[in-house]
Amino acid sequence: MGQKINPLGLRLGTTQSHHSLWFAKPKNYSKELQEDEKIRYYIKNYVEKNMTSSVRALIRIEIEKAVDLTSMKIYIVPAPAEVFNKHYRRESKNLQPNLQKEFASVNKKFDLKTRKFISVTPKLNFTLIKIFEPYRHPNILAEFISDQLQQRIPFRKAMKKAIELAKQANTKGIRVQIAGRIGGKEIARVEWLRDGRVPLQTIQAKIDYCSYPVRTIYGVLGIKIWIFLDGE
């Protein structure tokens, strides 16, 4: 049988970088990892509940930790400029203080003057990065297909529409796969469509990928999307 590997993990260090950048002692590793997940979960919930008029979608969150500073890059799909400028400042004003209160922990830093370790509470800063071509990102397409399936749209029609949206965003190739009890059938199966090139075995090819579960009335479906963005 063929051995499958995550296309993002395969390309780490070439076309793909980590979404979390920090160093920790082995005994603290699991704690730091769980904190990253909590930060991402908190920001995602905050955006969905409080920033619906200024942010259309959240693509990903990158976290970089130092001893005295935790930086976050939040990639979003903004609403039209007029709406975004009108609502963003009001909706986001509580995000930073709430993050600081919820997740700021005390770290130890070596002071060169006193030659001793001192306690430091790291600051939390976030940078908002606007994405104006959302359909170049597989998780946005997966959410689109999920909404279509939950509205009882035929799965092939939803897949073809997602491929059209990706082509309009100037991608070089896309593959969409849905697995599970598609259409409410009793036997689970896998269906997929591809358009253009998707060279998964070429390390230098910039491939973006996501796996997205969809809860339907007849079970959970799994959506996988591979997008070929740039040349080798």
Side-chain angles (χ1 to χ4, degrees):
M1 295 177 64
Q3 303 299 310
K4 306 297 187 294
I5 189 169
N6 188 302
L8 302 181
L10 180 66
R11 290 169 173 80
L12 280 174
T14 53
T15 61
Q16 179 69 25
S17 61
H18 290 279
H19 290 173
S20 292
L21 294 172
W22 42 263
F23 294 93
K25 294 181 179 179
K27 65 179 181 180
N28 296 330
Y29 179 79
S30 60
K31 178 185 173 184
E32 296 286 344
L33 198 62
Q34 289 172 20
E35 186 181 68
D36 281 9
E37 286 303 305
K38 289 177 183 176
I39 288 173
R40 288 191 173 95
Y41 183 76
Y42 183 89
I43 293 174
K44 183 179 178 182
N45 278 355
Y46 187 91
V47 169
E48 289 177 353
K49 290 179 181 178
N50 303 310
M51 300 178 66
T52 51
S53 56
S54 59
V55 176
R56 289 168 53 196
L58 178 66
I59 293 178
R60 71 175 181 274
I61 301 165
E62 295 179 357
I63 300 173
E64 185 174 353
K65 293 180 181 177
V67 174
D68 54 354
L69 179 66
T70 298
S71 302
M72 289 161 281
K73 293 180 181 177
I74 305 174
Y75 293 79
I76 62 161
V77 180
E82 295 179 1
V83 177
F84 181 84
N85 294 333
K86 181 179 179 182
H87 295 284
Y88 170 73
R89 190 177 297 275
R90 172 173 53 84
E91 293 177 341
S92 65
K93 65 180 180 180
N94 293 324
L95 178 56
Q96 178 135 355
N98 288 348
L99 276 172
Q100 187 75 32
K101 181 179 178 181
E102 190 82 16
F103 296 105
S105 56
V106 177
N107 293 336
K108 297 231 174 195
K109 180 181 179 182
F110 186 74
D111 188 8
L112 293 173
K113 291 183 179 179
T114 61
R115 300 277 179 178
K116 294 181 180 179
F117 283 97
I118 58 174
S119 297
V120 176
T121 302
K123 294 181 180 178
L124 274 73
N125 289 336
F126 69 89
T127 305
L128 214 63
I129 299 175
K130 301 176 187 177
I131 303 294
F132 295 103
E133 286 188 325
Y135 295 116
R136 284 174 64 89
H137 298 270
N139 52 340
I140 299 296
L141 290 172
E143 288 179 10
F144 169 78
I145 294 174
S146 170
D147 292 339
Q148 297 285 295
L149 293 176
Q150 289 172 347
Q151 294 173 22
R152 306 291 185 87
I153 304 294
F155 73 94
R156 286 193 189 279
K157 185 176 180 181
M159 291 165 74
K160 288 178 180 176
K161 182 61 178 176
I163 287 173
E164 285 179 17
L165 291 171
K167 286 172 68 177
Q168 291 171 11
N170 298 319
T171 58
K172 292 180 180 281
I174 178 173
R175 174 176 168 169
V176 181
Q177 176 180 297
I178 301 178
R181 292 183 57 195
I182 304 171
K185 304 293 183 182
E186 290 191 8
I187 299 177
R189 67 187 195 276
V190 178
E191 297 283 348
W192 61 274
L193 291 175
R194 185 179 65 194
D195 185 86
R197 292 178 60 230
V198 187
L200 296 179
Q201 294 184 344
T202 306
I203 303 295
Q204 296 299 327
K206 185 168 177 57
I207 303 283
D208 206 352
Y209 165 81
C210 88
S211 177
Y212 191 91
V214 186
R215 296 187 178 275
T216 65
I217 59 172
Y218 39 81
V220 178
L221 302 180
I223 300 174
K224 292 183 178 181
I225 299 181
W226 297 259
I227 295 180
F228 179 29
L229 296 172
D230 290 319
E232 302 162 14

